[in-house]
Every structure is written in structure tokens, then in C-alpha cells.
Amino acid sequence: MRVLKYAVSAMLMSAVVLSASASPTDPKNGVEYRTLPTPQQADAKKVEVIEFFDYACPHCYALDPSLQAWIKKQGGNIIFKRVHISRTGTDLPQQKMFYTLESMGLMNDAMNTKIFTEMHVNRNRMNRDEMVFDFIAKQGVDRQKFIDVYRGMGVQGHVRRASSLMDTYGVDSWPMFAIDGKYVTSPAMSDEATKAATTEAQLHAQGFQVMDVLVAKAKAEKK
């Protein structure tokens, strides 16, 4: 009984120490973020931030307004990129829509918001090609030009690259962020140690605190 008592006490003490040392403003490698074993090529001057996301994901939708505000707050510190995730063996019209719009120079914050709204507010899943084409035409985009790019080799190449990047960065959930080809984090990871967040908004705030630290760290490492 005494041995068990000491063991439980030790476990409680360990938990207290972990909670005390873990913080989104002082993130620990392997807890609130992880470091890639092999750094990837990133922008030479600015800190590169990649979001791995899915238009069908409700958590990505909920995060997006705060993410856009965070990007603006960073100003010239970062170069921001999005990678729409792939699913093995599954054709994702939403993913091809994203890369088609990017290829045509039509992807921007306003279009991004319209797509999220269409899917999560208007409940149009856009999980078939024709549904995507109808939505795009309503945005004033030339339907046939869009279809030609959508079905072209360039978009297929983007889809393959997305799958490759997911493997490289070990992306198995989303939204997830890669910082300057070195670090990977997510809102969920930011709360891994303390489990202190009680709302999704708190989780997002913690995630951005971790990202602030990692952006500053990556920027300092460029000097």
C-alpha cells in the first residue's frame, strides 16, 4: 500500500511539473510542436508558413477568420501558403477547385471565404465536379476556362505535390501548420500538455501563441 501511495504521489508531482512547464507562450519541442528530422527548403528571406487544410473540415472553417487576422498581424514577417489536403484513393473536387483557382490567379481571401461559406453555411458540399462548376460560374468565372484548367495536367501535379508534402511533414490531421520547413504545430497540439482550452476559440488563441513563438524562432535562425 505504501509503495502504491508513493507511486501515485510521484505521478501527481510529474503532472504538476509538466503543467507548470508547458505553455503556448513557451512551447516545448515534442509537446506543443515538433521539429522535422530533415528541414525542408523554405523561403530564403521571410518565414514560410504553410497551412494544411480541407474545405470540408469544420475546424478549418472555424479557424479561418482568426487565421486571416493572424496573417495580417504578421505583416512582412511571413510568406503564407495553403495546401489543400489529399485523401488516399479519394478524388476531392474541392481540392481541385482550390488548385484550379490558384492556377488561374483567382484565389484570394474573399474567394476562400466564399467557398467556406458555401460549404458550411449553405450546406453545399461541392463533392461532385458539376457542383463545383455551378458554384464557380455563379462567381463570375468563365465556366469552360475553369473546366479546362480543372481537368488539366497542372492541377493533377498540384494534387500529387499536396500528397507528397503531407508525407514529408507528417500531416495526419488538419488544420496543421508548417513553420519555415522546420517545425510543425496545430491548435490541437498547442493544448496537448495542459488541456486548458474549453472552447474552440481558446484552442485557436493558444495555437497562434505557439505559432508566434515559432515564427520568431525561425526568423532569428535566418540571421
Side-chain angles (χ1 to χ4, degrees):
M1 182 64 73
R2 182 175 296 175
V3 173
L4 177 60
K5 180 179 179 180
Y6 287 153
V8 171
S9 297
M11 290 172 63
L12 290 173
M13 286 296 292
S14 296
V16 169
V17 170
L18 179 60
S19 297
S21 61
S23 166
T25 57
D26 184 23
K28 300 296 184 292
N29 187 26
V31 183
E32 290 89 358
Y33 74 95
R34 56 181 170 82
T35 301
L36 292 181
T38 303
Q40 301 301 302
Q41 184 175 356
D43 190 85
K45 295 182 179 179
K46 295 184 179 181
V47 175
E48 181 183 272
V49 178
I50 302 175
E51 181 199 18
F52 291 88
F53 80 106
D54 180 2
Y55 275 128
C57 168
H59 303 295
C60 298
Y61 165 63
L63 177 71
D64 197 63
S66 298
L67 173 59
Q68 291 195 36
W70 181 84
I71 295 167
K72 290 177 182 177
K73 186 185 76 172
Q74 292 299 316
N77 281 329
I78 69 169
I79 179 168
F80 180 76
K81 300 177 181 179
R82 286 187 172 95
V83 172
H84 194 295
I85 60 93
S86 297
R87 287 192 176 94
T88 303
T90 303
D91 183 66
L92 296 179
Q94 308 98 326
Q95 181 192 36
K96 290 191 290 184
M97 171 176 58
F98 172 76
Y99 287 118
T100 301
L101 289 168
E102 268 205 338
S103 298
M104 296 177 72
L106 299 175
M107 178 50 69
N108 52 39
D109 289 345
M111 180 65 78
N112 182 66
T113 299
K114 285 181 180 179
I115 295 170
F116 270 128
T117 300
E118 183 71 9
M119 294 191 67
H120 295 275
V121 177
N122 300 335
R123 303 297 181 186
N124 177 7
R125 305 307 295 169
M126 290 195 281
N127 53 6
R128 296 197 306 274
D129 291 348
E130 288 300 324
M131 296 171 75
V132 168
F133 301 156
D134 289 343
F135 168 77
I136 288 298
K138 290 178 182 177
Q139 310 313 308
V141 178
D142 185 289
R143 185 186 183 101
Q144 192 55 53
K145 286 182 179 179
F146 180 87
I147 291 172
D148 291 343
V149 177
Y150 183 93
R151 292 176 172 162
M153 296 295 292
V155 168
Q156 293 179 29
H158 283 300
V159 170
R160 288 193 297 271
R161 184 169 183 272
S163 296
S164 177
L165 285 171
M166 288 177 71
D167 290 339
T168 297
Y169 285 97
V171 176
D172 56 5
S173 63
W174 37 88
M176 185 170 284
F177 295 90
I179 311 295
D180 217 41
K182 298 177 182 178
Y183 312 113
V184 177
T185 189
S186 70
M189 289 174 67
S190 72
D191 197 46
E192 186 63 31
T194 62
K195 305 294 184 185
T198 58
T199 67
E200 195 158 27
Q202 289 176 341
L203 200 65
H204 296 165
Q206 290 182 178
F208 290 129
Q209 286 179 322
V210 173
M211 289 168 63
D212 283 339
V213 173
L214 294 178
V215 166
K217 179 178 174 64
K219 185 177 180 179
E221 290 167 348
K222 286 183 178 292
K223 296 179 180 178

